[in-house]
């Protein structure tokens, strides 16, 4: 079974475009397995009820201090590597967030195609870090960043 991993979190601005893409993917490719990785726990309750998502993976991004942040990000990065190895996605689609940045970077290293979708006129910090590693960069509106 072919798999696509989508990710978006921190705000609904990252999640909402992803849901539209999920709905379209299922219409076009009904047998496609879709995994959604997010950091918004309260959204998880409704994601799989209203959208055809095969698996939702949640990472807690609440940090108490800098040491805790570094420790959690290293742990999340290791888990994301395991997810990529386990599910062998044909593509990763990021709608922003720390998780999306880590996932695009790992995808590049594992030679998995990746797509970044930027919803704003100015590219977010995480997307700026990895846009050159993505197979494609898509924008909802024209970007004002000179790098892209």
């Amino acid at each position: 079974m072919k798999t696509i991993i989508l990710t978006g979190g921190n705000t609904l601005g990252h999640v909402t475009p992803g849901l539209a893409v999920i709905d379209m993917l299922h219409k076009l490719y009904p047998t496609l397995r879709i995994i959604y990785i997010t950091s918004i726990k309260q959204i998880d309750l409704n994601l799989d009820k209203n959208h055809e998502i095969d698996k939702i993976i949640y990472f807690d991004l609440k940090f108490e201090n800098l040491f805790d942040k570094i420790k959690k990000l290293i742990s999340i990065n290791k888990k994301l590597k395991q997810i990529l190895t386990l599910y062998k996605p044909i593509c990763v689609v990021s709608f922003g967030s720390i998780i999306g940045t880590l996932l695009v970077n790992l995808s590049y290293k594992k030679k998995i195609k990746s797509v970044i979708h930027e919803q704003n006129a100015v590219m977010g910090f995480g997307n700026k870090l990895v846009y050159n590693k993505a197979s494609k960069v898509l924008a909802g509106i024209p970007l004002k960043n000179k790098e892209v």
Side-chain angles (χ1 to χ4, degrees):
M1 175 183 280
K2 292 186 178 181
T3 300
I4 290 186
I5 296 177
L6 293 95
T7 182
N10 299 347
T11 68
L12 284 175
H14 293 147
V15 174
T16 306
L19 298 178
V21 170
I22 287 168
D23 292 342
M24 185 56 64
L25 285 172
H26 265 296
K27 285 180 187 173
L28 296 172
Y29 309 101
T31 60
L32 185 68
R33 176 172 46 190
I34 293 184
I35 297 170
Y36 194 82
I37 302 175
T38 185
S39 61
I40 302 179
K41 193 169 188 173
Q42 62 271 27
I43 300 255
D44 292 353
L45 301 173
N46 295 321
L47 278 178
D48 56 350
K49 292 177 186 169
N50 300 322
H51 304 277
E52 294 184 48
I53 300 172
D54 298 291
K55 183 164 185 68
I56 298 170
I57 299 169
Y58 168 75
F59 288 107
D60 181 9
L61 290 180
K62 293 180 183 155
F63 311 114
E64 294 179 23
N65 54 48
L66 182 60
F67 178 74
D68 184 45
K69 183 175 189 174
I70 293 168
K71 191 170 118 181
K72 274 191 182 179
L73 290 176
I74 290 169
S75 172
I76 289 170
N77 202 55
K78 285 181 184 177
K79 289 176 184 170
L80 290 173
K81 277 185 197 177
Q82 292 169 347
I83 290 166
L84 291 176
T85 301
L86 176 65
Y87 292 105
K88 297 175 181 37
I90 57 171
C91 185
V92 168
V93 183
S94 172
F95 293 89
S97 80
I98 295 171
I99 294 170
T101 301
L102 294 173
L103 205 50
V104 169
N105 189 52
L106 288 170
S107 297
Y108 176 78
K109 290 177 180 179
K110 290 185 163 277
K111 298 181 179 5
I112 298 169
K113 291 182 181 181
S114 62
V115 177
I116 292 174
H117 181 274
E118 180 56 59
Q119 300 83 283
N120 301 305
V122 177
M123 188 176 280
F125 179 73
N127 285 343
K128 281 183 190 178
L129 292 175
V130 293
Y131 80 88
N132 59 337
K133 295 180 179 183
S135 306
K136 295 273 184 200
V137 177
L138 307 175
I141 55 178
L143 293 173
K144 294 185 179 182
N145 295 38
K146 294 179 183 175
E147 301 96 4
V148 180

